[in-house]
Amino acid sequence: MASAILKRVSASAKSTLVESMRSRASSRAFAAVAIGTDIVSAAPNVSLQKARSWDEGVSSKFSTTPLKDIFEGKKVVIFGLPGAYTGVCSQQHVPSYKNKIDEFKAKGIDSVICVSVNDPYTLNGWAEKLEAKDAIQFFGDFDGRFHKSLELDKDLSVALLGPRSQRWSAYVVDGTVKALNIEEAPSDFKVTGADVILNQI
């Protein structure tokens, strides 16, 4: 009798676990960024931090920029990368956009944005080092909430970076994703460069 009851309880628990896993998988698939996603709605109450010096941060009272101010009513090319001062990001990813900025403008793009899970002060120093601030707007996602909301977050502890982001790019019109590219690995640079997204606009 006790054995039969345990079997029934075990079966019930197993069924509940399976349903829970299905529900989570369904929820994650629904929440993940994709073509057609409204970025502002997918990341509610999330703001980014425009790259700036510490003194500029203090004078602005550490202000942040709501996503709607970045995307609504605009044509935006945005690309995310694992981190400032890292290899592929510095040597290939940012330069590919910096060198093609005139082509983006010719296609009617209002802004080209680089976003990374970094504080805005680190990003500012890096952007200045790359001499890219005049061409590209840099925004920090200091706590990773933006990338987590879009399910573009990535644990890069193996490279001593901790929680970071995938390497990705998107063409966004009035907040809606029209084209999206995500590398298989953050160290790859095959589908997220400027040339690829230029052909998708």
Side-chain angles (χ1 to χ4, degrees):
M1 179 71 172
S3 175
I5 291 172
L6 280 173
K7 283 181 180 176
R8 282 202 299 271
V9 170
S10 177
S12 174
K14 183 177 180 182
S15 175
T16 301
L17 178 61
V18 169
E19 284 303 313
S20 175
M21 289 174 70
R22 279 182 185 156
S23 175
R24 284 183 204 166
S26 174
S27 173
R28 184 170 176 83
F30 179 76
V33 65
I35 292 173
T37 296
D38 182 327
I39 285 188
V40 178
S41 297
N45 304 315
V46 171
S47 295
L48 295 175
Q49 309 84 44
K50 195 172 180 76
R52 60 197 174 219
S53 69
W54 176 260
D55 289 341
E56 289 170 333
V58 171
S59 65
S60 72
K61 298 182 179 178
F62 303 106
S63 64
T64 61
T65 306
L67 294 184
K68 63 182 179 60
D69 291 354
I70 296 172
F71 295 108
E72 285 187 0
K74 300 173 185 175
K75 292 181 179 179
V76 175
V77 166
I78 182 169
F79 63 101
L81 41 77
Y85 294 101
T86 56
V88 174
C89 304
S90 298
Q91 296 160 14
Q92 294 176 275
H93 208 169
V94 170
S96 78
Y97 286 87
K98 174 188 169 184
N99 296 336
K100 299 282 185 177
I101 196 64
D102 289 339
E103 293 181 43
F104 284 112
K105 288 180 179 178
K107 284 182 174 274
I109 297 303
D110 294 300
S111 55
V112 174
I113 293 171
C114 173
V115 62
S116 177
V117 182
N118 284 109
D119 63 78
Y121 322 111
T122 296
L123 275 183
N124 187 64
W126 184 51
E128 289 181 346
K129 180 180 176 64
L130 295 176
E131 298 180 349
K133 281 188 74 175
D134 290 339
I136 300 168
Q137 294 181 31
F138 289 77
F139 283 90
D141 177 23
F142 84 96
D143 58 0
R145 285 178 61 209
F146 175 67
H147 284 94
K148 286 175 186 173
S149 296
L150 302 179
E151 297 185 1
L152 289 169
D153 53 313
K154 183 82 172 175
D155 184 355
L156 295 178
S157 296
V158 68
L160 306 181
L161 293 171
R164 295 288 179 144
S165 78
Q166 305 270 14
R167 187 180 304 283
W168 60 281
S169 66
Y171 170 44
V172 184
V173 178
D174 194 24
T176 301
V177 177
K178 300 296 185 179
L180 176 67
N181 310 291
I182 305 172
E183 301 287 357
E184 288 187 17
S187 57
D188 289 345
F189 185 62
K190 299 173 182 175
V191 300
T192 57
D195 286 334
V196 173
I197 205 94
L198 273 166
N199 289 327
Q200 294 171 325
I201 295 172

